[in-house]
Amino acid sequence: MLSGIRPTGESFQLGNYVGAVRHWASMQDENECFFFLADLHALIDTPEPQRLRGRTRQAVAELLAMGVDPERSTVFAQGHVPEHAELGWILGCLTGFGEASRMTQFKDKGGGTVGLFTYPVLQAADILLYSADAVPIGEDQRQHLELTRDLAQRFNSRYGDTFSLPAAYAGRAGERIKDLRDPSRKMSKSIGGSGTVWVLDDPKTITKKVKSAVTDTGREVVASEEKPGVTNLLTILSVATGKALPELEQAYAGKGYGDFKADVADAVVELFAPVRERYAELVADEGYLDEVLADGAAAARGVATSMLTTVRDRVGLLAPRRT
Ligand code: AQP
């Protein structure tokens, strides 16, 4: 099992927790997991160097605070394993220009850098290096996983069986959390603002953001397509309390939005209180966080260099003479 997250934004946001990291935490018992901070992918946004460095270390503390356990999983920074970039180049040489141009994320953004254009190929390298069988992805990444499978198949038929074909993780479908101010789009680190709940927001800020969330006309607390704002808050409440949507709809029948929003705010505050507490302890110990990353990189490189040695040989790169 392999998954990555970009160390962008102020911290991770509620959607990252709901759609990704809480599942990572629960997968660790039955799977051999590799979780990485996609700092090479973060470079696509050309962040301030000092900020990216700081954010990468901070992101480790956040993942651990949310339940990722470096004793059971390999946690590393992508930039510490240069094999990602090298395999990305090799796979790029097998990727058609037209094929890469069809990736909707690039088209949706209306162009950008070569990095943005080729990042699905780097993503393919991220996955194939570790022979990941299962990759938990959101719907927006499905096309990239297809590209990964195509590239693996192409490589295998040209150079001999090398890569295993990854599948989308068939676990629980991840809920999509929407921006609180604009429920027509997903909550996102790069959008931020008052529609985004950061995992490290203090209780007052969380309450303020939830209480000023956009709701819909009417008074009924029900999940429906016509009520994207209320549906989003119900989803959040359901995740935070573990209660199913129909049960929540029933509990708020005839109560109106005021009580409902106050309860959603309290539930999110309660959900993230232990994360904030644990994060504060972890982030104060830079030495420990660096050690986690160093151990993770060593374990990841063990797997990645072995795969890359095979790949280099198969494509015909001359091995350096040992002295
Ligand atoms: N709103 C969301 N609801 C559910 N899941 C979400 N994810 C992101 N937003 C939501 C999941 O979080 C993981 C991390 O992805 P990423 O950081 O590599 O990039 P992203 O998907 O583009 O997430 P953001 O927060 O929107 O980051 P930026 O703004 O930096 O691009 C993924 O598994 C994603 O599905």
Side-chain angles (χ1 to χ4, degrees), residues 99 103 120 123-124 127 137 141-154 165-168:
E99 189 175 32
M103 295 298 120
Q123 233 176 26
I127 296 167
I137 48 158
Q141 293 288 325
R142 200 161 282 279
Q143 196 189 23
H144 294 171
L145 193 67
E146 274 313 308
L147 175 71
T148 304
R149 292 170 60 87
D150 289 347
L151 289 175
Q153 253 162 341
R154 200 169 301 157
L165 302 194

Coordinates of all heavy atoms in Angstrom, one line a residue, residues 99 103 120 123-124 127 137 141-154 165-168:
E99 N -0.7 11.4 -24.9 CA -1.2 10.7 -23.7 C -1.1 11.6 -22.5 O -2.1 11.7 -21.7 CB -0.2 9.5 -23.5 CG -0.6 8.4 -22.5 CD 0.3 7.2 -22.6 OE1 1.5 7.4 -22.9 OE2 -0.1 6.1 -22.3
M103 N -4.4 14.2 -19.7 CA -4.6 14.2 -18.3 C -5.5 15.4 -17.9 O -5.1 16.6 -18.2 CB -3.3 14.3 -17.5 CG -2.5 13.0 -17.7 SD -3.3 11.5 -17.1 CE -3.3 10.6 -18.6
P120 N 1.9 13.5 -13.5 CA 1.4 12.1 -13.4 C 2.4 11.0 -13.7 O 2.3 9.9 -13.2 CB 0.3 12.1 -14.5 CG 0.0 13.6 -14.7 CD 1.2 14.3 -14.4
Q123 N 4.2 10.5 -10.6 CA 3.3 9.7 -9.7 C 3.4 8.3 -10.0 O 3.3 7.4 -9.1 CB 1.9 10.2 -9.9 CG 1.2 10.6 -8.6 CD -0.2 11.2 -8.9 OE1 -0.8 10.9 -9.9 NE2 -0.6 12.0 -8.0
A124 N 3.4 8.0 -11.3 CA 3.6 6.5 -11.7 C 4.8 6.0 -11.1 O 4.9 4.8 -10.6 CB 3.6 6.5 -13.3
I127 N 4.6 5.1 -7.5 CA 3.9 3.9 -7.2 C 4.6 2.6 -7.6 O 4.8 1.6 -6.9 CB 2.5 3.9 -8.0 CG1 1.6 5.1 -7.4 CG2 1.8 2.6 -7.9 CD1 0.4 5.4 -8.3
I137 N -6.9 6.2 -3.7 CA -7.0 7.4 -4.4 C -8.4 7.9 -4.5 O -9.3 7.2 -4.4 CB -6.5 7.3 -5.9 CG1 -7.2 6.0 -6.5 CG2 -5.0 7.2 -6.0 CD1 -7.2 6.1 -8.0
Q141 N -8.0 11.2 -9.1 CA -6.7 10.6 -9.4 C -6.8 9.3 -10.2 O -5.8 8.7 -10.6 CB -5.9 10.3 -8.1 CG -5.6 11.5 -7.4 CD -4.4 12.3 -8.1 OE1 -3.6 11.7 -8.7 NE2 -4.5 13.6 -8.0
R142 N -8.1 8.9 -10.5 CA -8.3 7.6 -11.2 C -7.5 7.5 -12.6 O -6.9 6.6 -12.9 CB -9.8 7.4 -11.4 CG -10.1 5.9 -11.6 CD -11.6 5.7 -11.4 NE -11.9 5.6 -9.9 CZ -11.7 4.5 -9.2 NH1 -11.2 3.4 -9.7 NH2 -12.0 4.5 -7.9
Q143 N -7.6 8.6 -13.3 CA -7.0 8.7 -14.6 C -5.4 8.5 -14.5 O -4.8 7.9 -15.4 CB -7.3 10.1 -15.3 CG -7.0 10.1 -16.7 CD -7.2 11.5 -17.3 OE1 -7.0 12.5 -16.6 NE2 -7.4 11.6 -18.6
H144 N -4.9 9.0 -13.4 CA -3.4 8.9 -13.2 C -3.1 7.5 -12.9 O -2.0 7.0 -13.3 CB -2.9 9.8 -12.1 CG -3.1 11.3 -12.5 ND1 -2.9 12.3 -11.5 CD2 -3.4 11.9 -13.6 CE1 -3.1 13.5 -12.1 NE2 -3.4 13.2 -13.4
L145 N -3.9 6.8 -12.2 CA -3.6 5.4 -11.9 C -3.7 4.5 -13.2 O -2.9 3.6 -13.4 CB -4.6 4.9 -10.8 CG -4.2 3.5 -10.2 CD1 -2.9 3.7 -9.4 CD2 -5.3 2.9 -9.3
E146 N -4.6 4.9 -14.0 CA -4.7 4.2 -15.3 C -3.4 4.4 -16.1 O -2.9 3.5 -16.7 CB -5.9 4.8 -16.2 CG -7.2 4.1 -15.9 CD -7.1 2.6 -15.8 OE1 -6.6 2.0 -16.8 OE2 -7.6 2.0 -14.8
L147 N -2.9 5.6 -16.1 CA -1.7 5.9 -16.8 C -0.6 5.1 -16.2 O 0.3 4.5 -16.9 CB -1.3 7.4 -16.7 CG 0.0 7.8 -17.3 CD1 0.0 7.7 -18.8 CD2 0.5 9.2 -16.8
T148 N -0.5 5.0 -14.9 CA 0.5 4.2 -14.2 C 0.4 2.7 -14.7 O 1.5 2.1 -15.0 CB 0.3 4.2 -12.7 OG1 0.3 5.6 -12.3 CG2 1.3 3.4 -11.9
R149 N -0.8 2.2 -14.8 CA -0.9 0.8 -15.2 C -0.5 0.6 -16.7 O 0.2 -0.3 -17.0 CB -2.4 0.3 -15.1 CG -2.8 0.2 -13.6 CD -4.4 0.0 -13.5 NE -4.8 -1.2 -14.2 CZ -4.8 -2.4 -13.6 NH1 -4.5 -2.5 -12.4 NH2 -5.2 -3.4 -14.3
D150 N -0.9 1.6 -17.5 CA -0.4 1.6 -18.9 C 1.1 1.6 -19.1 O 1.7 0.9 -19.8 CB -1.0 2.8 -19.7 CG -2.5 2.7 -19.9 OD1 -3.1 1.6 -19.7 OD2 -3.2 3.7 -20.3
L151 N 1.7 2.5 -18.3 CA 3.2 2.6 -18.4 C 3.8 1.3 -17.9 O 4.8 0.9 -18.4 CB 3.7 3.8 -17.6 CG 3.3 5.2 -18.2 CD1 3.7 6.3 -17.2 CD2 4.0 5.3 -19.5
A152 N 3.3 0.7 -16.8 CA 3.9 -0.5 -16.3 C 3.8 -1.6 -17.3 O 4.7 -2.3 -17.6 CB 3.1 -0.9 -15.0
Q153 N 2.6 -1.7 -18.0 CA 2.4 -2.7 -19.0 C 3.3 -2.5 -20.2 O 3.9 -3.5 -20.7 CB 0.9 -2.7 -19.5 CG 0.1 -3.8 -18.9 CD -1.3 -3.6 -19.0 OE1 -1.8 -2.5 -19.2 NE2 -2.1 -4.7 -18.9
R154 N 3.4 -1.2 -20.6 CA 4.3 -0.9 -21.7 C 5.7 -1.3 -21.4 O 6.5 -1.9 -22.2 CB 4.2 0.6 -22.0 CG 4.6 1.0 -23.4 CD 4.2 2.4 -23.6 NE 2.8 2.6 -23.5 CZ 2.2 3.8 -23.3 NH1 3.0 4.9 -23.1 NH2 0.9 3.9 -23.1
L165 N 1.1 -4.5 -11.5 CA 0.1 -3.5 -11.9 C -0.7 -3.1 -10.6 O -1.3 -4.0 -10.0 CB -0.9 -4.0 -12.9 CG -0.2 -4.4 -14.3 CD1 -1.3 -4.6 -15.3 CD2 0.8 -3.4 -14.8
P166 N -0.7 -1.8 -10.3 CA -1.4 -1.4 -9.0 C -2.9 -1.3 -9.3 O -3.3 -1.0 -10.4 CB -0.8 0.0 -8.8 CG -0.4 0.5 -10.1 CD 0.0 -0.7 -10.9
A167 N -3.7 -1.5 -8.2 CA -5.1 -1.3 -8.3 C -5.5 -0.2 -7.4 O -4.8 0.1 -6.4 CB -5.8 -2.6 -7.9
A168 N -6.6 0.5 -7.6 CA -7.1 1.5 -6.7 C -7.5 0.7 -5.4 O -8.0 -0.4 -5.5 CB -8.3 2.2 -7.3

